[in-house]
Amino acid sequence: MKSSLVRVFPGMALLLATGCMGSAPVAGGRGTLITPSNQSAESAWDEHEREAPLVMRNLRSSPEVSTHVLRIRTQRDARIHQKSDLSLFVVAGELEVTVDGRPFKLDRGDVLEIPRATPYALRNLGQDASVAYLVFTPGHSDDDDKSAAAAPRDSSWRWNLWVQ
């Protein structure tokens, strides 16, 4: 399975990740996340979430696909998902994503695909929290979210980079 880092014009990830009704503020008015249901009343980050180093909200879940919003102020140690592929769309901020030991700097509008069984880590590069829209296929399950240090290492990750 091939993975790719795709650099697109700002806002393209938002367009790719949308297509349903309803909108929600993402972070400090810097973007709007479109979700299947109008969650705007409950989507603003509360005080506890704004102070937390990492918050992941579940937006929608089925056996086939799940979607989430991740707000990250600091970093997330290396993780691995044996059962799901992950597509990460940067909605706000700057992230360093290390995939199978190779670091990539991602800005708003960048998209990264991470195949199952590939270790990855996230680090916020800005002063403000970064926000990413995550799509897991098949859907994410708690038993598939493991520390990369504790998981077997069998990555077939390959990369391609397209710069616009």
Side-chain angles (χ1 to χ4, degrees):
M1 184 169 290
K2 203 174 227 186
S3 176
S4 57
L5 172 70
V6 182
R7 194 175 217 28
V8 295
F9 64 87
M12 183 62 173
L14 185 61
L15 294 173
L16 292 172
T18 63
C20 301
M21 301 180 299
S23 65
V26 173
R30 291 181 288 176
T32 300
L33 183 67
I34 309 299
T35 62
S37 62
N38 188 356
Q39 299 178 359
S40 60
E42 59 189 17
S43 293
W45 302 107
D46 65 31
E47 184 177 336
H48 174 72
E49 290 173 320
R50 285 191 304 272
E51 293 175 7
L54 181 88
V55 177
M56 186 164 100
R57 284 201 181 160
N58 300 324
L59 298 176
R60 187 173 181 207
S61 185
S62 74
E64 296 80 26
V65 65
S66 64
T67 57
H68 313 266
V69 176
L70 179 73
R71 183 179 193 276
I72 182 167
R73 287 184 51 228
T74 56
Q75 67 182 30
R76 184 172 196 197
D77 293 334
R79 311 300 297 167
I80 194 163
H81 307 283
Q82 297 290 349
K83 301 175 186 174
S84 298
D85 299 316
L86 170 62
S87 295
L88 181 147
F89 303 83
V90 179
V91 178
E94 298 175 282
L95 286 173
E96 179 182 81
V97 182
T98 302
V99 180
D100 205 17
R102 178 176 225 129
F104 294 96
K105 181 180 179 278
L106 302 176
D107 297 309
R108 181 179 177 195
D110 287 340
V111 177
L112 179 69
E113 295 177 356
I114 305 170
R116 65 193 75 197
T118 304
Y120 70 95
L122 306 169
R123 185 169 65 95
N124 181 36
L125 297 177
Q127 292 212 315
D128 294 329
S130 293
V131 177
Y133 180 75
L134 309 177
V135 179
F136 287 91
T137 53
H140 179 266
S141 62
D142 289 337
D143 68 334
D144 191 35
D145 190 357
K146 301 195 179 348
S147 165
R153 187 120 156 78
D154 181 26
S155 173
S156 61
W157 188 76
R158 305 290 180 266
W159 68 282
N160 290 311
L161 176 66
W162 293 279
V163 179
Q164 202 173 30

